[in-house]
Amino acid sequence: MTQFNLILLGPPGAGKGTQAGRIVAGYGIPHISTGDILRAAVKNQTPMGLEAKKFMDAGDLVPDSVVIGIVEDRLREPDTAKGFLMDGFPRTIPQAEALDKALEGLGRAVTKVIVLLVDEELLIARLTGRRICRSCQTPFHVLFTPPKTEGVCDACGGELYQRDDDTETTVRNRLEVYGRQTEPLIDYYDKAGVVARIDGAQLPDVTYKDIRAALGPADA
Ligand code: AP5
Ligand code: MG
């Protein structure tokens, strides 16, 4: 059985969440989004959520120790045995090293890193017009990928909302943080020979076709 131990890497707004929905449906693997897990903790006002909120609202990274703990716990769940799709993790070299170590302990390794490439001006337009489903987290865009009914999720009928960190000032900081702390991971994974660079500025289904070509067929 082919293992799909996948990472989706790319700046805020590159379409990680948008493509994640397609990839997990196509390959039957769980979607592990540290951003979604942290936002759920903020909503539930857990101690971790209360600590994370101040970093997220500023567009800064939550401390490595917090997110590494989240991912280590998640990888212990049995549904990850056949593979997984990491979305928004790792974001720093220490996070990437911790993931490698955790997988090594399981006799596994990252099999592909999909890097979504999109120009900065388009990223800002995407994020400032984004709306997300409160129930299933599917992202929409008021102009680019509008829902069939305004304010209502096409996938599950949930209510759409705007993320607190999608203001222009916070978006600019998130992009700066990505360039400084996360982009160096492309080099890190290039050394392991597992990177696939994909044009993320195309229509979502066209980008997904390119991702499928890079990943190869899902097991029957
Ligand atoms: P996170 O939730 O991971 O956010 P992000 O990386 O900033 O990325 P986004 O979710 O904003 O963008 P996306 O690439 O998913 O784009 P989407 O598909 O929605 O992290 C948030 C915060 O949590 C961080 O700032 C940090 O504080 C914390 N955090 C999370 N993980 C962490 C970690 N590992 N370490 C430390 N801190 C961490 O698309 C965007 C918009 O564009 C949508 O409106 C969509 O409809 C539209 N769109 C997408 N694709 C297309 C297309 N092809 N054509 C037209 N429109 C499109
Ligand atoms: Mg996302």
Side-chain angles (χ1 to χ4, degrees), residues 21-200:
R22 289 165 170 77
I23 297 167
V24 300
Y27 287 82
I29 50 176
H31 177 201
I32 304 178
S33 159
T34 44
D36 286 351
I37 295 169
L38 289 166
R39 277 184 291 279
V42 170
K43 190 173 148 207
N44 296 327
Q45 300 192 310
T46 67
M48 182 179 81
L50 293 173
E51 197 206 333
K53 185 170 168 40
K54 51 182 187 283
F55 295 102
M56 297 173 78
D57 285 351
D60 291 327
L61 295 185
V62 172
D64 283 341
S65 56
V66 175
V67 280
I68 289 170
I70 291 175
V71 170
E72 285 174 345
D73 285 349
R74 186 64 186 83
L75 281 174
R76 285 189 201 103
E77 304 277 331
D79 65 338
T80 60
K82 59 187 170 188
F84 54 78
L85 178 68
M86 295 284 168
D87 162 0
F89 181 92
R91 261 176 148 94
T92 63
I93 298 284
Q95 290 181 22
E97 290 171 345
L99 177 62
D100 279 348
K101 205 166 144 226
L103 290 175
E104 208 180 290
L106 299 166
R108 297 165 63 179
V110 170
T111 53
K112 197 66 94 183
V113 177
I114 301 152
V115 179
L116 295 175
L117 304 167
V118 178
D119 285 347
E120 183 153 325
E121 282 317 302
L122 183 54
L123 294 171
I124 293 169
R126 281 185 179 181
L127 290 171
T128 49
R130 173 166 62 180
R131 299 293 181 271
I132 312 252
C133 175
R134 269 194 207 286
S135 311
C136 73
Q137 322 307 325
T138 299
F140 295 88
H141 189 281
V142 289
L143 301 175
F144 304 149
T145 54
K148 291 194 184 81
T149 309
E150 200 189 316
V152 180
C153 176
D154 287 355
C156 76
E159 182 202 354
L160 303 186
Y161 80 105
Q162 183 163 26
R163 260 169 55 176
D164 288 344
D165 60 349
D166 277 349
T167 61
E168 185 158 348
T169 319
T170 308
V171 163
R172 287 195 188 275
N173 187 47
R174 285 162 60 200
L175 290 170
E176 202 265 322
V177 167
Y178 173 82
R180 193 158 29 88
Q181 305 204 57
T182 307
E183 217 169 18
L185 292 182
I186 301 176
D187 253 8
Y188 178 93
Y189 287 114
D190 259 336
K191 292 197 181 96
V194 290
V195 174
R197 288 172 172 76
I198 305 285
D199 176 4

